[in-house]
């Protein structure tokens, strides 16, 4: 996948003469591509990662990848494998060269709100479903009568088979070890508030980020 991405961004550079400055690719397409490739070094991926992290920076907390904002409707005959489709995601509408225009027999797929507009259930898109967002609030202290009191609220956001995002109550035990969140073994005063996001790229390499507030 990583050799695949430089070629993609090279295609972007080669096509800029045919693109007006206002025709920027959707940032969620860039997030999708850059996340798959392990956030390779490029201006496009630096911006995409910044948006990805900003969305989980309180408040409000948003889905870091909003795949429903990335038009993936292109399906070229003989190029319908998921990896080939990734080429089409960001640049289908932006590339004006005749060789990149949609053929007449292109398959038309219906837009669906809040999920990908094509079938991404293929394991090649597991990197989308690997994203998990944890909203962590936890407090612990000893009361005046010597009791150890603790309060905690954990929410976890995750992606479904078609990139749909759901948020639900979770537990402290579900918070990944990579988070800074750790419940003290003794009843010492402790306060933690953060949003933690984790993911795996196309090759399975693990990544994470935590925003404290």
């Amino acid at each position: 996948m990583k050799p695949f991405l430089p070629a993609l961004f090279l295609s972007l550079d080669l096509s800029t003469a045919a693109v007006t400055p206002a025709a920027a690719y959707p940032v969620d397409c860039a997030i999708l591509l850059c996340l798959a490739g392990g956030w390779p070094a490029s201006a496009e991926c630096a911006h995409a990662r910044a948006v990805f992290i900003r969305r989980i920076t309180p408040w409000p907390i948003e889905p870091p990848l909003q795949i429903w904002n990335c038009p993936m409707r292109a399906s070229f005959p003989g190029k319908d494998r998921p990896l080939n489709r990734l080429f089409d995601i960001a640049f289908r509408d932006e590339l004006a060269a005749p060789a990149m225009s949609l053929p007449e027999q292109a398959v038309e797929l219906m837009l669906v709100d809040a999920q990908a507009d094509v079938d991404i259930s293929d394991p090649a898109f597991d990197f989308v479903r690997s994203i998990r967002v944890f909203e962590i609030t936890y407090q612990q202290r000893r009361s005046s009568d010597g009791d150890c009191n603790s309060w905690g609220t954990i929410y976890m956001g995750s992606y479904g088979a078609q990139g749909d995002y759901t948020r639900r109550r979770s537990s402290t035990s579900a918070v990944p070890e990579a988070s800074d969140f750790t419940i003290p073994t003794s009843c010492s005063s402790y306060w933690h508030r953060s949003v933690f996001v984790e993911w795996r790229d196309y090759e399975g390499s693990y990544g994470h980020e935590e925003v404290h507030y």
Side-chain angles (χ1 to χ4, degrees):
M1 183 66 186
K2 289 182 179 177
F4 173 89
L5 283 165
L8 184 148
F9 288 116
L10 177 60
S11 71
L12 174 63
D13 293 336
L14 292 176
S15 67
T16 53
V19 181
T20 62
Y25 57 85
V27 68
D28 284 284
C29 298
I31 291 173
L32 181 69
L33 292 163
C34 296
L35 174 65
W39 305 107
S42 72
E44 294 85 359
C45 286
H47 176 249
R49 184 183 174 108
V51 173
F52 183 86
I53 300 303
R54 177 182 56 76
R55 286 175 173 169
I56 67 158
T57 303
W59 288 97
I61 297 170
E62 303 178 62
L65 169 62
Q66 298 173 14
I67 195 170
W68 46 91
N69 290 326
C70 176
M72 296 193 292
R73 295 179 299 278
S75 179
F76 289 81
K79 289 186 174 184
D80 55 357
R81 293 190 307 133
L83 286 183
N84 294 117
R85 190 183 303 134
L86 286 177
F87 270 114
D88 306 330
I89 292 170
F91 310 116
R92 180 180 65 88
D93 293 327
E94 286 72 20
L95 292 176
M100 295 298 295
S101 60
L102 281 173
E104 292 181 0
Q105 64 269 39
V107 177
E108 292 185 5
L109 298 174
M110 183 182 300
L111 277 172
V112 179
D113 291 339
Q115 66 179 40
D117 60 359
V118 298
D119 182 7
I120 63 164
S121 60
D122 190 283
F125 287 91
D126 281 349
F127 65 90
V128 173
R129 291 175 285 274
S130 76
I131 304 171
R132 297 197 302 171
V133 179
F134 291 86
E135 303 167 36
I136 308 166
T137 302
Y138 187 87
Q139 182 178 9
Q140 175 180 286
R141 65 179 176 84
R142 189 175 296 280
S143 66
S144 57
D145 58 8
D147 293 333
C148 186
N149 298 322
S150 61
W151 304 265
T153 303
I154 311 293
Y155 286 93
M156 184 183 75
S158 59
Y159 290 85
Q162 297 303 328
D164 48 304
Y165 186 81
T166 57
R167 177 180 178 269
R168 63 183 183 275
R169 286 290 294 265
S170 187
S171 64
T172 56
S173 61
V175 177
E177 293 183 1
S179 170
D180 295 335
F181 171 66
T182 304
I183 300 176
T185 54
S186 62
C187 192
S188 56
S189 294
Y190 180 71
W191 170 251
H192 182 101
R193 291 185 72 186
S194 72
V195 181
F196 177 89
V197 60
E198 67 174 3
W199 64 84
R200 291 188 182 275
D201 65 19
Y202 180 82
E203 294 181 340
S205 299
Y206 181 73
H208 64 87
E209 191 80 29
E210 190 160 17
V211 178
H212 295 267
Y213 64 103

